[in-house]
Amino acid sequence: MDSFVSEAGLVVPAVTTEQMREVDRVAIEGIGPNLYQMMENAGRNLALSCVEMLGEGWATSSVVVLAGTGGNGGGGICAARHLANHGGQVTLVVSDVERLAGVPAEQLALFRASGGRLAAIGDLGTLETSLTVDAVLGYSLAGAPHGAAADLIGWMSQGPAPVVSLDVPSGVDATTGEAPGVHVRAATTMALALPKTGLAVDATGEIWLADIGIPAGVLERARVRPPPAGLFSKGYRVRLSWSS
Ligand SMILES: NC(=O)C1=CN([C@@H]2O[C@H](COP(=O)(O)OP(=O)(O)OC[C@H]3O[C@@H](n4cnc5c(N)ncnc54)[C@H](O)[C@@H]3O)[C@@H](O)[C@H]2O)[C@H](O)CC1
Ligand SMILES: [K+]
């Protein structure tokens, strides 16, 4: 789907993975924001969505954050820190801690300082959750999920807790919407910067779009259509629907 629509009726263009990568490249190698800044905005918005989904008394509910080793996982780890910083009962599970590098690894170091709990994949069977955050795989999905990523997706699919997916439900191709193997069925998906063309599938649940601070000049240089003026005039997240 090449566009989505906001509740106010604004038409929001969608991007493919290739287009989003170009936006990220122009931002990170050139104008900014840098990866740290974008990930912080992603994680903070995601944490806020979790608080809103859980409602009053959210801080007494258990939240499990499942994170992969790339940019998607880094955003999830950042959200886990924000939840822990605000007194939430958060447990983080990373698919492969040894493979974390760069900014996602720095996110984990920050999380460790928050007092939140880090659990191993082997502990999954003992974890209780009221809301699960899916930050396992983002737009760099390559083929059917395998290894620890597939285990985490399987765990989310078994339990009754709602899942909030970051950017795209893990296992769903962000460009085509196809799922080459196991995939997450989200209650809510929070897309970053611009909705991806593959999000018009049932696995996404409610779609929200979060502003992560990318200015119009970056989109222009990446030759990507910008979101309509005023889309984020009331806040940093807006609900989107499929356009008919
Ligand atoms: N402007 C933005 O939208 C931003 C988005 N961000 C987030 O970053 C991810 C994309 O990050 P990336 O590091 O490119 O990759 P992923 O996190 O999607 O994947 C990580 C990792 O997973 C492995 N993998 C791929 N396919 C499989 C598979 N089938 N089975 C198992 N493992 C797999 C592979 O090793 C990948 O490298 C994007 O979605 C956003 O969430 C940034 O935070 C900044 C800006
Ligand atoms: K995800």
Side-chain angles (χ1 to χ4, degrees):
M1 183 163 290
D2 67 3
S3 64
F4 289 79
V5 63
S6 76
E7 284 182 314
L10 296 171
V11 175
V12 184
V15 287
T16 63
T17 294
E18 195 184 344
Q19 288 175 308
M20 198 67 234
R21 272 193 218 288
E22 177 60 7
V23 172
D24 288 351
R25 190 192 66 76
V26 169
I28 290 166
E29 295 177 10
I31 301 173
N34 64 30
L35 184 55
Y36 242 130
Q37 292 168 317
M38 289 191 283
M39 205 176 271
E40 194 68 25
N41 285 328
R44 190 163 173 265
N45 276 314
L46 182 58
L48 268 169
S49 289
C50 292
V51 169
E52 286 170 8
M53 284 177 78
L54 287 165
E56 205 165 327
W58 75 271
T60 58
S61 305
S62 301
V63 180
V64 169
V65 177
L66 304 179
T69 55
N72 200 254
I77 299 170
C78 178
R81 164 167 46 88
H82 281 283
L83 289 168
N85 281 352
H86 286 254
Q89 306 296 311
V90 61
T91 302
L92 171 67
V93 179
V94 179
S95 63
D96 187 348
V97 173
E98 303 301 315
R99 277 194 58 203
L100 280 182
V103 178
E106 292 178 32
Q107 291 291 352
L108 182 63
L110 280 173
F111 173 78
R112 285 184 197 275
S114 72
R117 176 179 170 212
L118 181 65
I121 290 209
D123 297 330
L124 276 176
T126 67
L127 298 183
E128 286 186 11
T129 181
S130 298
L131 177 68
T132 301
V133 174
D134 159 33
V136 179
L137 297 167
Y139 62 48
S140 291
L141 173 78
H146 55 266
D151 294 344
L152 294 178
I153 292 170
W155 186 79
M156 280 183 267
S157 308
Q158 281 164 21
V163 174
V164 53
S165 288
L166 180 59
D167 214 20
V168 58
S170 294
V172 172
D173 184 290
T175 299
T176 65
E178 284 163 14
V182 290
H183 68 89
V184 168
R185 290 177 193 281
T188 297
T189 296
M190 196 192 82
L192 302 176
L194 285 164
K196 316 302 177 292
T197 51
L199 292 185
V201 290
D202 288 337
T204 53
E206 268 187 23
I207 301 173
W208 286 76
L209 180 68
D211 173 26
I212 56 171
I214 298 175
V218 169
L219 301 177
E220 198 178 322
R221 192 173 305 174
R223 297 179 189 281
V224 162
R225 286 179 296 163
L231 181 67
F232 290 112
S233 61
K234 291 190 177 154
Y236 281 82
R237 289 161 296 145
V238 288
R239 176 137 185 225
L240 300 182
S241 307
W242 305 3
S243 51
S244 43

